[in-house]
Amino acid sequence: MIKKLKCSSCSKEWYIEETFLNELRICPYCSKTIREKAAVKEFDSLGKVIYVMIEEFGVDILQTPKKLAACLLDAAPNLKKEIRIFFKVLDEKRLLLVRDVFEQEDQYAVRGNTEKLKLLCMEEDGLSENWAKLVGESLLKAAEYSRGIGMPELFTAEVSDVDESSWMDAKSDNSPLQCEIIDRSPVDAFYDYCIAEGFFEKSNYKEAIAYYEKAANKGSDEALIKLALCYSGGIGITKSEKKALDCLTMATKHDSARAKYHLSAYYFQGIGVLKDEKKALRYLIASAKQGCMQAQYNLALRYRFGIGVPASQERAIAYYMLAARQGYVYARHVLAQYCQFGWDSMDG
């Protein structure tokens, strides 16, 4: 599902797939943070009040236990008993252990230190298991909160639902209509195509091409595309860009999205035909709208950088998302960058 976002700082609007919403941290336009830690309004646990004091005064406050104890008692008088027991077991050696809990990057090491502190409280100070567990778990929670784990977050951007059917004008060339390609090949053609693929995998190109041709004659667009690639690369057959082009052209007459994508590359680069960027772009857009994820990704790049089309962040993201929905790794990588670091970080 698509969501529309509006930044509270710069008032710019953009669109994002709902599945990526939780990863979004900054506005792609002004780079202001749009996801922040929510303020703690109620100190209902020792872990929360320790976290807030560390956030406010820094980890160095651990070097002055009396000051920290006074701050904790002022902030959470309802936790007086828990705070006193916490400081009862903290000597100089253990304060270093506590400091290490907040400075360690390795989560396993953090857990190890809190477990070590729990055991020391039981074995050396005679604390009950429950109280020792409270001390250890409170420190662990405070450390996790400081890393943003488990704390409520405040999302400052305005979020609203979008009707995908009306999101873009369905009559324009900018309207992504499909997310997947439907294989319309006859069953017997598909059977021959599968046999051809088996031979191709085993590098038996002569038999593979024979079955690709059988499948193509029975109406398999995928077989025509594979034949085109073989002709183009001279794989198991005499290289011929003209025959490759003929195969792709025939497949596009059957309305093959992938054939249109490959044919667009021929016209963009002028392979076997006169270079024609307008025609290439028409094939690319048609392929992307029919659901070819490679075409969707390629078109997203063009809208991103304004190559042959007007630059448009909205349309670029739309096509990146369509490709990502189908599992296209590069599109997912770009969107992950976008969500974490903003538009300028995107390298694809």
Side-chain angles (χ1 to χ4, degrees):
M1 187 175 181
I2 304 297
K3 295 288 185 179
K4 179 181 177 181
L5 283 81
K6 184 177 180 179
C7 179
S8 58
S9 297
C10 66
S11 298
K12 292 283 189 181
E13 296 179 346
W14 72 101
Y15 298 85
I16 192 79
E17 178 79 37
E18 187 176 19
T19 53
F20 291 101
L21 197 57
N22 289 336
E23 300 173 32
L24 196 60
R25 298 282 163 188
I26 63 174
C27 170
Y29 289 98
C30 66
S31 297
K32 292 285 181 67
T33 300
I34 58 175
R35 189 182 295 277
E36 303 169 349
K37 294 177 185 176
V40 178
K41 296 180 179 179
E42 184 180 358
F43 295 122
D44 54 3
S45 70
L46 184 58
K48 279 186 182 177
V49 71
I50 293 172
Y51 154 70
V52 169
M53 292 303 111
I54 297 291
E55 285 287 297
E56 186 172 344
F57 298 105
V59 76
D60 286 338
I61 197 173
L62 293 170
Q63 303 302 317
T64 54
K66 288 184 179 179
K67 179 181 177 182
L68 178 57
C71 290
L72 291 175
L73 287 168
D74 286 344
N78 56 310
L79 299 173
K80 185 184 295 185
K81 187 175 183 180
E82 290 87 342
I83 292 169
R84 284 179 174 170
I85 288 175
F86 178 66
F87 281 97
K88 179 184 176 182
V89 300
L90 290 185
D91 56 19
E92 187 175 339
K93 176 185 174 183
R94 291 178 198 172
L95 278 171
L96 290 174
L97 196 62
V98 171
R99 185 184 181 111
D100 201 37
V101 166
F102 288 93
E103 294 183 336
Q104 271 280 0
E105 293 294 330
D106 186 347
Q107 190 67 14
Y108 292 105
V110 170
R111 286 185 176 274
N113 282 342
T114 54
E115 281 297 315
K116 184 178 179 181
L117 183 62
K118 174 184 165 184
L119 290 172
L120 287 172
C121 290
M122 291 170 62
E123 293 172 1
E124 296 183 4
D125 299 307
L127 280 188
S128 68
E129 184 178 352
N130 286 341
W131 280 112
K133 184 178 180 182
L134 175 73
V135 170
E137 288 189 352
S138 295
L139 275 174
L140 180 60
K141 278 293 180 186
E144 288 179 344
Y145 291 153
S146 69
R147 291 171 173 80
I149 302 169
M151 277 297 290
E153 290 184 317
L154 184 64
F155 196 68
T156 59
E158 181 183 321
V159 183
S160 56
D161 293 332
V162 174
D163 179 5
E164 292 188 48
S165 63
S166 61
W167 178 31
M168 287 183 173
D169 181 6
K171 294 180 181 179
S172 77
D173 284 341
N174 308 311
S175 173
L177 300 180
Q178 240 174 264
C179 279
E180 59 182 13
I181 296 172
I182 301 169
D183 188 349
R184 299 184 178 85
S185 301
V187 174
D188 55 342
F190 182 68
Y191 176 74
D192 287 334
Y193 175 77
C194 288
I195 294 174
E197 287 284 270
F199 281 124
F200 195 89
E201 285 293 321
K202 295 176 182 177
S203 302
N204 188 342
Y205 300 125
K206 184 177 179 180
E207 289 293 335
I209 287 168
Y211 275 95
Y212 281 138
E213 287 175 342
K214 281 185 181 181
N217 290 333
K218 293 176 182 177
S220 170
D221 298 331
E222 290 301 312
L224 282 167
I225 294 168
K226 205 60 179 276
L227 278 173
L229 295 176
C230 288
Y231 276 120
S232 179
I235 303 171
I237 201 168
T238 303
K239 184 172 180 175
S240 172
E241 295 294 0
K242 183 182 181 304
K243 288 185 178 180
L245 193 63
D246 289 343
C247 289
L248 291 175
T249 303
M250 190 180 299
T252 58
K253 289 178 181 177
H254 300 161
D255 211 27
S256 166
R258 273 187 278 265
K260 290 175 185 177
Y261 167 68
H262 288 293
L263 199 56
S264 72
Y266 274 70
Y267 281 101
F268 273 127
Q269 298 172 44
I271 302 172
V273 289
L274 291 174
K275 192 173 181 179
D276 188 336
E277 292 200 357
K278 287 185 178 179
K279 194 169 186 178
L281 194 59
R282 284 200 300 272
Y283 277 124
L284 184 64
I285 290 171
S287 176
K289 288 172 69 175
Q290 283 179 249
C292 177
M293 60 185 178
Q294 292 90 344
Q296 289 164 350
Y297 179 76
N298 193 301
L299 194 55
L301 286 174
R302 290 179 176 276
Y303 278 122
R304 164 70 178 101
F305 297 108
I307 304 171
V309 293
S312 169
Q313 177 185 349
E314 179 180 303
R315 291 167 188 165
I317 293 172
Y319 281 106
Y320 276 132
M321 286 194 293
L322 285 171
R325 280 179 178 180
Q326 300 190 76
Y328 198 60
V329 174
Y330 298 116
R332 289 186 171 185
H333 170 70
V334 169
L335 285 175
Q337 281 186 304
Y338 165 74
C339 290
Q340 291 291 326
F341 308 113
W343 191 241
D344 291 338
S345 72
M346 294 168 65
D347 58 8

Coordinates of all heavy atoms in Angstrom, one line a residue, residues 20-26 33-41 51 144-157 340:
F20 N 8.1 0.2 3.7 CA 9.4 0.9 4.0 C 9.2 2.0 5.0 O 10.2 2.7 5.4 CB 9.9 1.5 2.7 CG 10.4 0.5 1.7 CD1 9.6 0.1 0.6 CD2 11.6 -0.2 1.8 CE1 10.0 -0.8 -0.3 CE2 12.1 -1.1 0.9 CZ 11.3 -1.4 -0.1
L21 N 8.0 2.2 5.5 CA 7.7 3.3 6.4 C 8.5 3.3 7.7 O 9.0 4.3 8.2 CB 6.2 3.4 6.7 CG 5.6 4.7 7.2 CD1 5.9 5.8 6.3 CD2 4.1 4.6 7.5
N22 N 8.6 2.1 8.3 CA 9.3 2.0 9.5 C 10.8 2.2 9.4 O 11.5 2.4 10.4 CB 9.1 0.6 10.1 CG 7.7 0.4 10.6 OD1 7.0 1.4 10.9 ND2 7.2 -0.8 10.7
E23 N 11.3 2.2 8.2 CA 12.8 2.4 8.0 C 13.1 3.9 7.7 O 14.3 4.3 7.7 CB 13.3 1.5 6.8 CG 13.1 0.0 7.0 CD 13.4 -0.8 5.8 OE1 14.3 -0.3 5.0 OE2 12.8 -1.8 5.5
L24 N 12.1 4.6 7.5 CA 12.3 6.0 7.1 C 12.7 6.9 8.3 O 12.0 6.9 9.3 CB 11.0 6.6 6.5 CG 11.1 7.9 5.7 CD1 12.1 7.7 4.5 CD2 9.7 8.3 5.2
R25 N 13.8 7.6 8.1 CA 14.4 8.4 9.3 C 14.4 9.9 9.0 O 14.3 10.7 9.9 CB 15.8 7.9 9.6 CG 15.8 6.4 10.0 CD 15.4 6.2 11.5 NE 15.1 4.9 11.8 CZ 14.6 4.5 12.9 NH1 14.2 5.3 13.8 NH2 14.3 3.2 13.1
I26 N 14.7 10.2 7.7 CA 14.8 11.7 7.4 C 14.0 12.1 6.2 O 13.6 11.2 5.4 CB 16.3 12.0 7.2 CG1 16.9 11.3 6.0 CG2 17.2 11.7 8.4 CD1 18.3 11.7 5.6
T33 N 15.5 15.2 10.5 CA 15.0 14.0 11.1 C 13.5 14.0 11.2 O 12.9 15.0 11.7 CB 15.6 13.8 12.5 OG1 17.1 13.7 12.3 CG2 15.2 12.5 13.1
I34 N 12.8 12.9 10.8 CA 11.4 12.9 10.9 C 10.9 11.8 11.9 O 9.7 11.5 12.1 CB 10.7 12.7 9.6 CG1 11.1 11.5 8.9 CG2 10.9 13.9 8.7 CD1 10.4 11.2 7.6
R35 N 11.9 11.1 12.5 CA 11.6 10.0 13.4 C 12.5 10.2 14.7 O 13.7 10.2 14.6 CB 11.8 8.6 12.8 CG 11.3 7.5 13.7 CD 11.7 6.1 13.1 NE 10.9 5.9 11.9 CZ 9.7 5.5 11.8 NH1 9.0 5.3 12.9 NH2 9.1 5.3 10.6
E36 N 11.9 10.5 15.8 CA 12.6 10.8 17.0 C 12.2 10.0 18.1 O 11.1 9.4 18.1 CB 12.4 12.3 17.4 CG 12.8 13.3 16.3 CD 12.3 14.7 16.6 OE1 11.5 14.8 17.6 OE2 12.8 15.6 15.9
K37 N 13.1 9.8 19.1 CA 12.7 9.1 20.3 C 11.6 10.0 21.1 O 11.8 11.2 21.3 CB 13.9 8.9 21.3 CG 14.9 8.0 20.7 CD 16.1 7.9 21.7 CE 17.2 7.1 21.1 NZ 18.4 7.1 22.0
A38 N 10.5 9.3 21.4 CA 9.5 10.0 22.2 C 10.0 10.3 23.6 O 10.7 9.5 24.2 CB 8.2 9.2 22.2
A39 N 9.6 11.5 24.1 CA 10.0 11.8 25.5 C 9.3 10.9 26.5 O 8.1 10.5 26.3 CB 9.5 13.3 25.8
V40 N 10.1 10.5 27.5 CA 9.5 9.6 28.6 C 8.7 10.5 29.5 O 9.2 11.4 30.1 CB 10.7 8.9 29.4 CG1 10.1 8.1 30.5 CG2 11.5 8.1 28.4
K41 N 7.4 10.2 29.5 CA 6.5 11.0 30.3 C 6.2 10.4 31.7 O 5.8 11.1 32.6 CB 5.1 11.2 29.6 CG 5.2 11.9 28.3 CD 3.9 12.0 27.6 CE 4.1 12.8 26.3 NZ 2.8 12.9 25.5
Y51 N 17.9 5.5 32.1 CA 18.1 5.9 30.7 C 18.0 7.4 30.5 O 18.9 8.1 29.9 CB 17.1 5.2 29.8 CG 16.8 6.0 28.5 CD1 17.7 6.1 27.5 CD2 15.5 6.6 28.4 CE1 17.4 6.8 26.3 CE2 15.2 7.3 27.2 CZ 16.1 7.4 26.2 OH 15.8 8.1 25.1
E144 N 19.4 -0.5 26.2 CA 18.7 -0.7 24.9 C 17.9 0.5 24.6 O 17.9 0.9 23.4 CB 17.7 -1.9 25.1 CG 18.4 -3.3 25.1 CD 17.4 -4.4 25.3 OE1 16.3 -4.2 25.7 OE2 17.8 -5.6 25.1
Y145 N 17.3 1.2 25.6 CA 16.6 2.5 25.3 C 17.6 3.5 24.7 O 17.2 4.2 23.7 CB 16.0 3.1 26.6 CG 14.9 2.3 27.2 CD1 14.6 2.3 28.5 CD2 14.1 1.5 26.4 CE1 13.6 1.6 29.1 CE2 13.0 0.8 26.9 CZ 12.8 0.8 28.3 OH 11.7 0.1 28.8
S146 N 18.8 3.6 25.2 CA 19.8 4.5 24.7 C 20.2 4.2 23.2 O 20.6 5.1 22.5 CB 21.0 4.6 25.5 OG 21.8 3.4 25.4
R147 N 20.0 3.0 22.8 CA 20.2 2.6 21.4 C 19.0 2.7 20.5 O 19.0 2.3 19.4 CB 20.8 1.2 21.3 CG 22.2 1.1 21.9 CD 22.7 -0.4 22.0 NE 24.1 -0.5 22.4 CZ 24.5 -0.3 23.7 NH1 23.7 -0.1 24.7 NH2 25.8 -0.4 24.0
G148 N 17.9 3.1 21.1 CA 16.6 3.2 20.4 C 15.8 2.0 20.3 O 14.9 1.9 19.5
I149 N 16.2 1.0 21.1 CA 15.5 -0.3 21.1 C 14.4 -0.3 22.2 O 14.7 -0.1 23.4 CB 16.5 -1.5 21.4 CG1 17.6 -1.5 20.3 CG2 15.7 -2.8 21.4 CD1 18.7 -2.5 20.6
G150 N 13.2 -0.5 21.8 CA 12.1 -0.6 22.8 C 11.5 0.7 23.2 O 10.5 0.7 23.9
M151 N 12.1 1.8 22.8 CA 11.5 3.1 23.2 C 10.5 3.5 22.1 O 10.7 3.4 20.9 CB 12.6 4.2 23.2 CG 13.3 4.2 24.5 SD 12.3 4.6 25.9 CE 11.9 6.3 25.6
P152 N 9.3 4.1 22.6 CA 8.4 4.7 21.6 C 9.0 5.7 20.8 O 9.9 6.5 21.2 CB 7.3 5.2 22.5 CG 7.5 4.8 23.9 CD 9.0 4.4 24.0
E153 N 8.6 5.8 19.5 CA 9.2 6.8 18.6 C 8.1 7.8 18.2 O 6.9 7.5 18.0 CB 9.8 6.2 17.4 CG 11.1 5.4 17.7 CD 11.7 4.8 16.4 OE1 11.0 4.3 15.6 OE2 12.9 4.8 16.3
L154 N 8.5 9.0 17.9 CA 7.6 10.1 17.4 C 7.9 10.3 16.0 O 9.0 10.7 15.6 CB 7.9 11.3 18.3 CG 7.0 12.5 18.0 CD1 5.5 12.2 18.3 CD2 7.4 13.7 18.8
F155 N 6.9 10.1 15.1 CA 7.1 10.3 13.7 C 6.5 11.7 13.4 O 5.3 11.9 13.5 CB 6.3 9.2 12.9 CG 6.7 9.1 11.5 CD1 8.0 8.7 11.1 CD2 5.8 9.4 10.5 CE1 8.3 8.6 9.8 CE2 6.2 9.3 9.1 CZ 7.4 8.9 8.8
T156 N 7.3 12.6 13.0 CA 6.9 14.0 12.8 C 6.3 14.3 11.5 O 5.7 15.4 11.3 CB 8.1 14.9 13.1 OG1 9.1 14.7 12.2 CG2 8.6 14.8 14.5
A157 N 6.5 13.5 10.5 CA 5.9 13.7 9.2 C 4.4 13.3 9.1 O 4.0 12.4 9.8 CB 6.6 12.9 8.1
Q340 N 16.9 5.5 4.8 CA 17.8 5.8 5.9 C 18.5 7.1 5.7 O 18.7 7.8 6.7 CB 18.9 4.7 5.9 CG 18.3 3.3 6.3 CD 17.9 3.3 7.8 OE1 18.5 4.0 8.6 NE2 16.9 2.6 8.1

